[in-house]
Amino acid sequence: MEHPKDLSLGTSAIVFLLLAGLLFLCVWSPSNPLLPFHEPNGSPKNYTGVEFLVKDELDLALEEASMPNKTVIIAVVNRAYVEQSVNAETTMLDLFLESFWVGEDTRALLEHLLLVTVDQTAYDRCMFKRLHCYRLVTEGVDFGEEKVYMSRDFVKMMWRRTLFLLDVLRRGYSFIFTDADVMWLRNPFAKLSLNGTEDIQISVDQFYGDPRPEHNLVNTGFYHIRSNNRTISLFKKWYSLNNSTWKKEQDVLIDLLRQGIVTQLHLRVRFLETRHFSGFCEDSRDVSSVTTAHANCCRHINAKVRDLTAVLRDWKRFKAAVTKYPNAAGNITMSFGWSPHSGCWNSWKP
């Protein structure tokens, strides 16, 4: 009789189907520890402890602009910096970018510049120029118009910038932050300490040669910072004070330095000489060493545009003269002087 054989085959088929069904339930069940499951409210849970990271726009922007050692150059601009006013010959952004073109060993650095835009017009202009661009959105705030130095909106914008830079540090990126009113005349990395011993290297309004933090008026318009636990702690403490006073973020940082934050967090800080990192507060007198020129100690954008145009004109004339008369380079350097920053000086008048 063939019945036992048929019964054996039927039993095998039933067992196979049961095992297949069990496997299906194990693999696709919400309680399966091998797979992530989406809760009814749409929030994914990871039951394995392995993170399925989704990179956001900032991650992607930082990756695109980053150097191999996870260092980027960051500048923040708004509509007032990218649109040409009726009385101006150019824009602040155009001057900033031109300095990379006419500077020494600076053109390649544009590949690592991330332009952070705080309004749509600035973002559109950035994209038009084919730069690395990131749109920083702040709900309920219009940062597009010119923010006059020390106005309430100016202070708000500076604090929003500080919070953004804290986010960059938390993501593991070191950076040079530069205001867009800083002209890059030479590659600043040649003047910075890059051996990993300094946490922060920051510009000052005036350089006294004193390494003590409490004796320096730092300027947050240009600095290099490494991402580590110490600098992240500094930025967290710094930003936590933004609601305690209507001081701008630079003044609060100066207060922290005077109160001993460097010692408390075991920070290693270097203050950059104005001989290399010049500014309108204190011009570098050594054109053979000057690296950047910052339109600090200035109140309005139009004044900055006017005087920075003169800075680039002075620089190009100097470079042309040295190239044409190499044997007289020493005399040309000795006799060099910057044009007066009359626009910025007058910007403080009532």
Side-chain angles (χ1 to χ4, degrees):
M1 295 177 63
E2 298 297 328
H3 295 292
K5 183 176 181 181
D6 293 342
L7 179 62
S8 177
L9 290 173
T11 302
S12 299
I14 292 171
V15 171
F16 174 80
L17 290 173
L18 286 173
L19 289 173
L22 182 61
L23 180 62
F24 176 85
L25 290 174
C26 288
V27 171
W28 294 105
S29 170
S31 61
N32 175 20
L34 299 177
L35 291 176
F37 166 63
H38 291 275
E39 293 287 349
N41 64 5
S43 59
K45 279 190 177 180
N46 188 331
Y47 291 88
T48 64
V50 178
E51 296 186 15
F52 293 86
L53 294 176
V54 177
K55 295 179 180 179
D56 61 15
E57 291 184 15
L58 180 55
D59 284 320
L60 296 174
L62 289 167
E63 276 190 7
E64 289 179 359
S66 177
M67 301 175 189
N69 64 353
K70 292 194 73 173
T71 299
V72 293
I73 301 165
I74 298 176
V76 178
V77 296
N78 64 356
R79 182 169 68 246
Y81 268 49
V82 305
E83 285 190 334
Q84 187 171 334
S85 68
V86 174
N87 298 321
E89 297 181 1
T90 186
T91 69
M92 185 72 74
L93 177 60
D94 287 333
L95 285 172
F96 179 60
L97 298 177
E98 184 184 355
S99 74
F100 283 85
W101 179 256
V102 301
E104 293 181 3
D105 193 26
T106 51
R107 293 183 187 179
L109 295 178
L110 276 177
E111 293 295 322
H112 306 293
L113 171 66
L114 177 61
L115 205 62
V116 179
T117 61
V118 297
D119 59 77
Q120 191 60 42
T121 301
Y123 180 77
D124 292 342
R125 186 62 63 90
C126 178
M127 293 298 292
F128 178 76
K129 291 183 177 295
R130 301 180 181 277
L131 303 168
H132 297 299
C133 312
Y134 176 73
R135 173 77 165 90
L136 180 62
V137 177
T138 304
E139 296 296 335
V141 181
D142 177 18
F143 285 139
E145 300 296 332
E146 177 182 1
K147 306 306 176 189
V148 177
Y149 181 76
M150 288 310 297
S151 66
R152 180 158 291 200
D153 282 347
F154 172 86
V155 173
K156 285 181 180 179
M157 190 163 67
M158 295 302 99
W159 281 114
R160 181 65 185 93
R161 183 179 81 181
T162 303
L163 179 60
F164 169 78
L165 295 174
L166 169 58
D167 191 9
V168 174
L169 288 175
R170 281 173 163 164
R171 294 169 191 248
Y173 286 89
S174 304
F175 58 82
I176 285 181
F177 177 80
T178 174
D179 278 342
D181 60 355
V182 175
M183 301 295 100
W184 287 47
L185 306 179
R186 290 186 173 93
N187 187 335
F189 287 101
K191 300 294 183 182
L192 297 173
S193 174
L194 302 177
N195 58 10
T197 61
E198 306 289 352
D199 294 314
I200 306 171
Q201 300 174 80
I202 189 167
S203 62
V204 295
D205 285 341
Q206 293 179 308
F207 185 74
Y208 302 110
D210 191 330
R212 289 174 291 180
E214 63 272 20
H215 290 184
N216 284 275
L217 292 176
V218 298
N219 191 299
T220 53
F222 185 94
Y223 59 92
H224 176 272
I225 184 166
R226 291 195 303 131
S227 174
N228 56 42
N229 291 335
R230 294 184 297 275
T231 56
I232 292 172
S233 295
L234 170 65
F235 266 68
K236 288 170 66 176
K237 175 63 176 178
W238 185 11
Y239 185 74
S240 73
L241 299 174
N242 73 318
N243 291 322
S244 62
T245 175
W246 274 106
K247 287 184 177 180
K248 68 179 185 294
E249 53 29 282
Q250 180 174 294
D251 293 339
V252 172
L253 179 59
I254 291 172
D255 289 343
L256 284 172
L257 293 173
R258 289 172 175 170
Q259 293 162 11
I261 192 71
V262 170
T263 301
Q264 294 166 24
L265 296 180
H266 306 288
L267 290 162
R268 294 183 288 268
V269 181
R270 175 189 172 202
F271 302 100
L272 301 174
E273 296 182 46
T274 51
R275 180 166 69 97
H276 304 303
F277 299 90
S278 181
F280 291 177
C281 297
E282 184 174 85
D283 279 322
S284 171
R285 299 180 181 179
D286 186 359
V287 70
S288 65
S289 296
V290 67
T291 300
T292 60
H294 185 190
N296 52 9
C297 291
C298 193
R299 195 156 184 260
H300 292 291
I301 291 178
N302 284 343
K304 292 185 177 190
V305 168
R306 171 183 168 177
D307 289 352
L308 288 175
T309 299
V311 166
L312 289 186
R313 182 173 60 245
D314 293 342
W315 172 255
K316 286 184 281 189
R317 286 175 175 171
F318 166 75
K319 296 296 294 180
V322 169
T323 300
K324 187 175 181 179
Y325 305 107
N327 294 332
N331 291 333
I332 294 170
T333 300
M334 290 289 292
S335 61
F336 176 85
W338 301 104
S339 298
H341 313 308
S342 54
C344 286
W345 296 340
N346 292 329
S347 71
W348 295 98
K349 293 181 179 179

